């Protein structure tokens, strides 16, 4: 017979391993809600491989078969605290085709598998455990008619089943399921009533996500994987048949719950679920581990604390009306968010934005304005301003802002070319900008004196005279040298210069000079007449 490439048999094991890893990280997931009844319908395909060995040549086979379906019906009633009791009916149809090497169908049909029995479950927050026992029925592939071609002859196994299931709530509404069952054979037989013995097991896993939510029911879409292994041995002939079956498919589960509003006391407060999401106000990133303090339904007048999951989400059951939630997380400012809760199972989601705490300031700033002249003053740009270790130059408005200064008194030094340096004192206040105005005075240089040069001579002989030169405005009096010359340095202005010599008539001249100028004049004195 033709043997096709089998699907990987490690997918169910990987899903179970993933379940084990996630179980340790579901502290942020919301508790699972119990349902009263559920109906699960699955459709997919199956990969089957197996062999049948007897005294003859034997038979091996493998193939991929669609039209693999299942139906599971479960009902529950509440038991003790956190426990429920119920029952389950499970039916599966397994299509089967045996083809030769040319893909021509040799034989086939369908096989059935089912179980029924009581179950119990226990809620542990985001984890739900189920254990069950009961009766199981399975048709297993046996082949006969080898004289011409193999013919499918179904073997039947009746067994007591022991089964279990673990359901884990994940963030963002996802759930993960792992399950398994082991048959404890009661009896088995082949066609013609031949007695046989049989063993086997079934394990599976599924990823679930609710796609529809209503007041009384939920629709959940599932991706399922399952592996089964069975053997059957005829006691009289020793013929042994074993198979390994892997299934993959999609499933839809409809779950019915109690009417939340109908279960509330008429006298008590009406209530509704409010989804909350806590994020960083700047980046929008979710904040896991945020504490959300909301009004308690169990003890009116008090509060209860909820903690956000890895997605920053939490689902709070609150009384109807306007309610407030106080949200806090380390390193962020606490926020109180108000929400209007209506009497419905699910209200509009509320997003809470938290801002990071800002550390209180430990330093202050000083703004120094430098001007020239009193009154309004003219701003002086480019002036060097120093306060402690901080130093800046003023801008076009004559301002310099010195930041990160230690609080308290500080000495300020102001220097600019052409101006007298200034030393001022200011007080720096924590978290504030203090202001200081500094007026600079220009440096005035001494003006260069004017120079008066001249020579005094006799008008009759032309010989130099030793004369007296007097300038009253400059409080200056000097004498000429032997050559009759004189030099005087005065400030700019207008002066009356009197020149006199013995035996000669005195003479007065008026001279106007500016700073730095030089004035030269010669004077001839006339002798006195006898």
């Amino acid at each position: 017979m033709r043997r096709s490439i089998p699907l990987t048999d490690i997918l169910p094991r990987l899903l179970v391993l993933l379940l084990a890893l996630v179980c340790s990280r579901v502290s942020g997931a919301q508790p699972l809600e119990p349902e009263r009844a559920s109906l699960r319908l699955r459709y997919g395909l199956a990969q089957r491989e197996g062999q049948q060995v007897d005294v003859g040549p034997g038979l091996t086979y493998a193939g991929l078969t669609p039209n693999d379906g299942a139906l599971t019906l479960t009902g529950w009633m509440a038991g003790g605290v956190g426990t429920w009791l119920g029952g389950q009916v499970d039916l599966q149809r397994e299509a089967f085709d045996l083809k030769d090497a040319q893909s021509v169908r040799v034989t086939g049909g369908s096989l059935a598998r089912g179980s029924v029995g009581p179950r119990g479950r226990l809620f542990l927050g985001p984890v739900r455990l189920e254990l069950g026992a009961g009766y199981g029925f399975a048709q297993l592939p046996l082949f006969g008619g080898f004289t011409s071609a193999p013919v499918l002859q179904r073997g039947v196994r009746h067994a007591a089943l022991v089964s279990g299931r673990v359901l884990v709530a994940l963030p963002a509404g996802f759930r993960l399921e792992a399950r398994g069952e082991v048959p404890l054979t009661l009896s088995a037989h082949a066609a013609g009533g031949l007695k046989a013995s049989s063993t086997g097991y079934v394990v599976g896993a599924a990823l679930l996500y609710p796609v529809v939510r209503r007041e009384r029911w939920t629709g959940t879409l599932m991706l399922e994987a399952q592996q089964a292994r069975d053997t059957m041995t005829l006691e009289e002939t020793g013929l042994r048949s074993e198979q390994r079956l892997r299934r993959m498919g999609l499933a839809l589960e409809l779950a019915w719950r109690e009417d939340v509003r109908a279960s509330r006391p008429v006298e008590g407060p009406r209530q509704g679920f409010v989804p909350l999401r806590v994020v960083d106000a700047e980046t929008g990133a979710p904040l896991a581990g945020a504490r959300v303090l909301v009004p308690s339904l169990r003890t009116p007048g008090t509060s209860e604390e909820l903690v956000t999951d890895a997605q920053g989400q939490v689902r709070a059951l609150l009384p109807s009306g306007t309610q407030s939630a106080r949200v806090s997380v380390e390193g962020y400012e606490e926020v109180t968010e108000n929400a209007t809760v209506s009497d419905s199972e699910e209200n509009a989601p509320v997003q809470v934005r938290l801002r990071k705490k800002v550390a209180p300031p430990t330093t202050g700033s000083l703004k120094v304005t430098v001007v020239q002249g009193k009154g309004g003053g003219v701003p002086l740009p480019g002036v060097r301003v120093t306060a402690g270790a901080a130093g800046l130059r003023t801008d076009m408005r004559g301002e310099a802002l010195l930041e990160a200064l230690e609080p308290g008194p500080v000495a300020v030094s102001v220097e600019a070319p052409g101006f007298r340096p200034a030393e001022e004192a200011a007080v720096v206040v924590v978290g504030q900008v203090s202001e200081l105005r500094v007026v600079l005075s220009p440096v005035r240089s001494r003006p260069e004196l004017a120079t008066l040069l001249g020579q005094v001579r006799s008008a009759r002989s032309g010989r130099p005279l030793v004369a007296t030169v007097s300038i009253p405005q400059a409080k200056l009096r000097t004498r000429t040298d032997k050559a009759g010359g004189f030099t005087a340095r005065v400030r700019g202005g207008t002066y009356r210069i009197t020149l006199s010599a013995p035996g000669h008539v005195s003479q007065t001249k008026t001279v106007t000079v500016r700073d730095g100028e030089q004035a030269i004049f010669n004077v001839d004195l006339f002798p006195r007449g006898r």
Side-chain angles (χ1 to χ4, degrees):
M1 296 293 110
R2 181 181 64 87
R3 182 181 179 88
S4 63
I5 300 175
L7 291 174
T8 176
D9 60 350
I10 63 172
L11 182 58
R13 302 175 191 176
L14 289 177
L15 290 176
V16 173
L17 177 60
L18 178 60
L19 173 64
L21 293 174
V22 172
C23 283
S24 62
R25 305 181 63 87
V26 295
S27 58
Q30 297 302 303
L32 293 167
E33 297 178 11
E35 72 276 2
R36 285 294 183 178
S38 64
L39 173 65
R40 179 179 298 186
L41 301 173
R42 186 195 72 215
Y43 185 82
L45 52 83
Q47 167 71 39
R48 187 190 305 268
E49 59 182 89
Q51 62 178 349
Q52 179 171 303
V53 181
D54 55 9
V55 294
L59 175 69
T60 61
Y61 57 90
L64 189 67
T65 309
N67 302 322
D68 182 69
L71 179 147
T72 302
L73 180 63
T74 309
W76 298 96
M77 60 181 296
V81 178
T83 61
W84 288 62
L85 300 176
Q88 178 172 300
V89 176
D90 186 81
L91 297 174
Q92 297 188 45
R93 174 189 178 276
E94 303 170 4
F96 184 84
D97 276 331
L98 182 64
K99 299 179 180 179
D100 59 17
Q102 285 74 40
S103 299
V104 177
R105 187 174 185 273
V106 176
T107 185
S110 62
L111 303 172
R113 188 186 297 259
S115 64
V116 62
R119 301 181 72 84
R121 68 183 178 188
L122 175 66
F123 288 89
L124 300 173
V127 179
R128 185 170 76 191
L129 304 177
E130 293 184 12
L131 292 176
Y135 164 75
F137 166 85
Q139 290 181 332
L140 305 178
L142 289 176
F143 300 93
F146 282 94
T147 55
S148 58
V151 177
L152 178 63
Q153 297 179 346
R154 301 168 179 82
V156 178
R157 178 180 67 204
H158 303 274
L161 290 181
V162 178
S163 62
R165 183 170 74 146
V166 180
L167 188 66
V168 181
L170 304 178
F174 285 92
R175 289 177 288 169
L176 195 60
E177 175 186 279
R179 61 184 182 275
E181 67 178 37
V182 178
L184 306 176
T185 304
L186 298 176
S187 66
H189 62 271
L194 298 177
K195 291 185 177 182
S197 60
S198 178
T199 60
Y201 69 85
V202 177
V203 294
L207 183 65
L208 302 84
Y209 184 75
V211 292
V212 180
R213 292 185 65 90
R214 294 293 184 266
E215 183 68 27
R216 297 292 301 271
W217 62 277
T218 301
T220 301
L221 189 64
M222 306 172 59
L223 175 62
E224 277 201 326
Q226 180 175 303
Q227 177 169 304
R229 190 177 184 90
D230 300 292
T231 63
M232 176 170 280
T233 304
L234 301 183
E235 296 180 356
E236 297 181 7
T237 64
L239 183 144
R240 176 184 174 85
S241 176
E242 60 180 42
Q243 70 162 349
R244 183 166 55 183
L245 182 67
R246 304 177 195 87
R247 300 187 178 93
M248 284 286 294
L250 292 175
L252 177 65
E253 182 177 76
L254 303 178
W256 282 265
R257 304 185 307 276
E258 292 182 349
D259 189 334
V260 176
R261 289 178 294 185
S263 62
R264 300 171 188 158
V266 177
E267 303 81 7
R270 304 174 76 84
Q271 57 199 20
F273 285 102
V274 178
L276 293 170
R277 187 168 187 262
V278 184
V279 300
D280 185 292
E282 299 296 331
T283 64
L287 296 177
R291 297 186 296 275
V292 182
L293 205 62
V294 297
S296 174
L297 284 171
R298 299 172 184 158
T299 310
T302 64
S303 300
E304 66 175 299
E305 184 179 279
L306 305 175
V307 179
T308 58
D309 59 19
Q311 303 301 317
Q313 298 175 343
V314 70
R315 192 162 175 262
L317 182 61
L318 302 175
S320 297
T322 301
Q323 305 296 337
S324 62
R326 193 161 74 247
V327 184
S328 62
V329 65
E330 186 176 354
Y332 287 79
E333 297 178 357
E334 185 177 283
V335 169
T336 299
E337 189 78 19
N338 295 324
T340 301
V341 183
S342 62
D343 183 28
S344 63
E345 183 181 356
E346 200 76 27
N347 286 266
V350 176
Q351 182 166 278
V352 183
R353 304 171 67 87
L354 299 186
R355 297 189 178 276
K356 290 185 178 180
K357 290 182 179 178
V358 179
T362 59
T363 60
S365 302
L366 176 63
K367 184 173 79 170
V368 180
T369 303
V370 183
V371 298
Q372 174 187 1
K374 297 181 180 179
V378 178
L380 289 177
V383 178
R384 178 69 178 178
V385 179
T386 305
L392 286 176
R393 291 192 180 274
T394 57
D395 57 18
M396 297 303 296
R397 296 174 297 180
E399 297 177 352
L401 181 61
L402 303 172
E403 299 180 302
L405 299 178
E406 294 295 328
V410 61
V412 180
S413 175
V414 181
E415 297 179 352
F419 293 86
R420 292 190 179 93
E423 293 284 343
E424 300 285 349
V427 177
V428 178
V429 181
V430 172
Q432 297 184 16
V433 179
S434 303
E435 295 189 8
L436 176 65
R437 183 181 179 86
V438 179
V439 179
L440 293 186
S441 300
V443 176
R444 295 186 180 274
S445 60
R446 297 183 64 181
E448 186 178 354
L449 298 177
T451 303
L452 301 176
L453 299 174
Q455 187 182 33
V456 181
R457 298 174 299 184
S458 173
R460 177 174 294 177
S461 63
R463 290 179 301 168
L465 294 176
V466 176
T468 299
V469 181
S470 177
I471 307 176
Q473 291 92 337
K475 297 180 181 181
L476 179 64
R477 187 182 179 87
T478 186
R479 292 176 66 85
T480 62
D481 56 19
K482 292 181 180 182
F486 69 89
T487 302
R489 296 181 66 81
V490 295
R491 292 184 179 180
T494 302
Y495 299 93
R496 289 173 60 83
I497 304 173
T498 302
L499 300 103
S500 59
H504 291 75
V505 178
S506 299
Q507 190 177 141
T508 300
K509 289 186 174 291
T510 300
V511 179
T512 300
V513 292
R514 290 182 293 185
D515 291 337
E517 285 186 345
Q518 189 179 60
I520 303 174
F521 58 91
N522 297 318
V523 178
D524 293 330
L525 297 181
F526 292 93
R528 294 181 184 275
R530 287 182 180 251

